[in-house]
Amino acid sequence: MSSYQYDVVVVGAGPSGSMTARYAAAGGCKTLLIEKRQEIGSPVRCGEGLARHFVEDTKMPFDQKWVGREVKGAKIFSPNGTELTIEEAHAGNEVGIVLERDAFDKAVAKEAAKAGAEIWLKTTATAILKDDGWVRGVHAKRLEEEMNIEAKCVVAADGYESQVGRWAGFKTLLKAGDITGTLQYRLTNIGPGHDFPDYCEFWLGTIAPAGYIWVFPKDDMTANVGIGVSLDRLKNRVDIKGYLDRWIAQDPRMSRAQPLDMVTGGVSTAPPIKKSVGNGIALVGDSARMIDPITGGGIGNGMLAGMILGKVLAKCNEAGDFSEAALMEYEKGWRAKLEENLYRNWLAKNKLVTLSDREFDDIIQVLAEVGVHKLSVRAILKVLKETKPELVAKFAEFI
Amino acid sequence: MPEQVVSIRPSVRDNGIMAIDDMLCMHCGACVGTCPTNAIFLNEVYLTFNEDCTQCGMCVKVCPVGAIDYPRGHKLHTMK
């Protein structure tokens, strides 16, 4: 069996993994990025919404190639059709750019390659190498070849599945209420209405129990139309598809729409994990449950954490110390940026999922009349408290 | 009305633990991350269940395209 030696091996070439590899390699680590699939960025597994600031924050060179469409903001629809429009500057972390994820993931990987990282495709990690309380690398299969990839640090960026972390003993198991199943069609030949295609749309209520339906425009007549439903609201096989198909069938804009592709996936809507580093290992992105529990968006958070991790790995390499204590700098770094918001949104999500259609209608109605200047849980609750305090009784602790 | 030919579902692999329809599976990994006992293995395009499975059914529900079912003979089996 062959054996390879690296400073850092990153498992998974999504945005988080590639961003980690880029900053680790740029900082002087001999870095290997492995991807089990035959193509980076494909198949796409998400709604592709991203706020512009993440691109700047992680110093991604802007390229029109990975921009599907730039939108003016977001529209939120209550079950009775009341429309709340929020302009981009205030619209939160998943609104601004609708990406071409297949091109975007390749662009992030390209930055990793430019920084000096090696990339192997069709390479699946099948186990981790452990020794004396340390993770020493991964066992992997590349086409026919079985190998040990020894590394001073393994980065688990293997997405929602989070296998590498589990093998290493991290608690990444999720409760049913913190799991969302998603299905999305890229629909074309969509007709006009609700200012399509200028806004990312979010449709709330029992049409998507404890989740929502999104319409993210890709061009003048094409959009990602998808649904997320919480696992604890699903009863039977193919329930998710039934919810989405029924909604599409009743939207007049979609009466002649046809699918170009279909995307599925699992999303965590969990609180941040308790621990993301160990001796010789760190978790990043979806595998570390960094997804926003309200929106289900994870690209931006994952890239930000990846950048922090890559820089910390470079420091660890210089010091020759990849121990848990040394990697704590990464854990502290991402928590400082993300943890409070993730935890607050998880608490708020647990309240939101208890709202009835009627309550959503009332809330959106008030917000549409009064206007919201910032799409954050706290800002919205403040507006509601001033106008209809009885609506926000459930959320008293957040204000 | 044209005569119906014999209908088979050759794409279903049923190992007695769980059943997977390979023609429906999108290999997205939603079931893998959901599984509380880590009993599902997915390499790029091949999903399989091992004996750690407790048939809790979380994967059956979370699969957005209904590619996973209880095995044939199980009282909750619904694949035709």
Side-chain angles (χ1 to χ4, degrees):
Chain A
M1 192 171 54
S2 31
S3 179
Y4 300 87
Q5 280 81 34
Y6 287 87
D7 294 328
V8 173
V9 60
V10 181
V11 181
S16 314
S18 293
M19 196 58 82
T20 307
R22 168 188 171 186
Y23 280 96
C29 299
K30 187 182 178 212
T31 305
L32 174 64
L33 175 60
I34 66 172
E35 168 58 46
K36 73 177 174 186
R37 297 189 185 270
Q38 62 206 351
E39 180 180 345
I40 289 171
S42 176
V44 175
R45 296 197 303 186
C46 94
E48 307 182 293
L50 182 68
R52 234 173 279 267
H53 71 85
F54 284 115
V55 175
E56 290 142 24
D57 293 349
T58 56
K59 301 197 170 59
M60 263 301 287
F62 190 85
D63 188 342
Q64 207 60 39
K65 253 189 233 162
W66 44 257
V67 177
R69 183 157 191 108
E70 297 179 65
V71 292
K72 291 182 186 163
K75 281 183 190 283
I76 301 176
F77 295 85
S78 80
N80 70 6
T82 308
E83 191 172 318
L84 171 66
T85 304
I86 298 156
E87 299 308 320
E88 188 204 339
H90 315 295
N93 282 343
E94 277 65 53
V95 172
I97 300 173
V98 180
L99 297 169
E100 298 289 350
R101 259 303 285 281
D102 45 352
F104 182 73
D105 284 21
K106 288 185 183 77
V108 187
K110 198 158 112 184
E111 293 306 310
K114 265 163 63 183
E118 280 180 56
I119 302 174
W120 292 357
L121 300 180
K122 276 273 188 198
T123 308
T124 309
T126 53
I128 56 162
L129 308 175
K130 263 193 201 170
D131 170 30
D132 199 20
W134 281 72
V135 174
R136 303 285 189 191
V138 293
H139 185 77
K141 219 180 154 187
R142 174 167 63 164
L143 299 171
E144 290 281 273
E145 185 190 7
E146 293 230 17
M147 62 182 90
N148 282 336
I149 303 169
E150 290 162 24
K152 295 170 192 159
C153 188
V154 171
V155 174
D158 52 336
Y160 176 73
E161 293 97 310
S162 199
Q163 292 293 290
V164 176
R166 285 188 200 176
W167 296 336
F170 288 85
K171 307 250 181 303
T172 63
L173 293 179
L174 299 163
K175 296 193 182 81
D178 291 336
I179 293 171
T180 295
T182 67
L183 170 67
Q184 169 187 287
Y185 303 111
R186 183 175 302 186
L187 291 183
T188 194
N189 202 29
I190 296 175
H194 300 302
D195 298 321
F196 182 82
D198 288 334
Y199 290 86
C200 284
E201 301 172 13
F202 300 84
W203 295 76
L204 308 176
T206 45
I207 48 159
Y212 64 85
I213 283 172
W214 65 85
V215 178
F216 290 178
K218 300 280 287 193
D219 64 37
D220 289 347
M221 58 167 74
T222 311
N224 289 335
V225 181
I227 189 171
V229 183
S230 177
L231 176 56
D232 60 359
R233 306 296 173 95
L234 294 165
K235 294 195 173 60
N236 301 302
R237 205 162 59 83
V238 227
D239 271 0
I240 295 177
K241 188 167 180 298
Y243 279 113
L244 181 58
D245 290 347
R246 278 194 295 280
W247 185 82
I248 290 171
Q250 58 78 56
D251 188 312
R253 298 175 298 171
M254 316 266 171
S255 62
R256 293 169 153 299
Q258 303 300 326
L260 296 175
D261 77 9
M262 188 170 156
V263 173
T264 59
V267 174
S268 63
T269 53
I273 54 173
K274 297 266 185 312
K275 189 165 166 255
S276 65
V277 295
N279 290 326
I281 184 164
L283 276 60
V284 68
D286 289 10
S287 81
R289 310 307 184 205
M290 289 174 179
I291 289 181
D292 185 313
I294 287 188
T295 64
I299 307 169
N301 286 353
M303 291 202 301
L304 214 54
M307 180 175 74
I308 297 169
L309 176 55
K311 288 177 178 175
V312 170
L313 290 172
K315 275 195 201 171
C316 290
N317 196 40
E318 270 171 31
D321 178 8
F322 287 90
S323 66
E324 184 178 326
L327 290 167
M328 276 307 286
E329 188 184 340
Y330 156 64
E331 173 136 356
K332 285 192 186 130
W334 76 256
R335 287 192 194 279
K337 288 254 190 220
L338 306 174
E339 185 175 39
E340 195 196 332
N341 195 45
L342 288 174
Y343 194 71
R344 182 191 297 278
N345 282 2
W346 175 69
L347 292 174
K349 177 213 75 174
N350 289 340
K351 304 282 180 181
L352 281 171
V353 298
T354 67
L355 295 182
S356 66
D357 279 2
R358 181 70 192 280
E359 286 171 305
F360 271 127
D361 286 336
D362 290 347
I363 290 172
I364 299 295
Q365 182 70 44
V366 171
L367 295 176
E369 279 165 16
V370 180
V372 197
H373 300 297
K374 192 163 179 281
L375 189 60
S376 80
V377 173
R378 188 178 268 183
I380 287 175
L381 290 175
K382 218 172 145 223
V383 171
L384 289 174
K385 199 189 174 196
E386 284 156 12
T387 46
K388 286 214 171 173
E390 72 278 7
L391 277 180
V392 287
K394 280 180 180 171
F395 295 89
E397 67 212 79
F398 292 98
I399 305 171
Chain B
M1 192 138 134
E3 190 188 348
Q4 196 179 351
V5 297
V6 179
S7 156
I8 50 168
R9 197 157 173 163
S11 53
V12 176
R13 280 182 294 118
D14 184 336
N15 66 357
I17 300 170
M18 292 299 273
I20 303 122
D21 189 330
D22 282 321
M23 280 170 73
L24 294 182
C25 180
M26 308 266 294
H27 320 108
C28 70
C31 54
V32 180
T34 300
C35 181
T37 59
N38 239 20
I40 310 176
F41 176 75
L42 170 72
N43 94 348
E44 196 170 359
V45 291
Y46 187 83
L47 186 75
T48 183
F49 287 83
N50 71 22
E51 44 292 330
D52 293 338
C53 171
T54 60
Q55 298 186 322
C56 72
M58 283 170 83
C59 56
V60 175
K61 293 179 203 167
V62 83
C63 178
V65 290
I68 303 173
D69 197 4
Y70 298 93
R72 192 172 284 271
H74 191 284
K75 64 180 192 303
L76 297 173
H77 179 89
T78 56
M79 275 183 185
K80 294 282 184 307

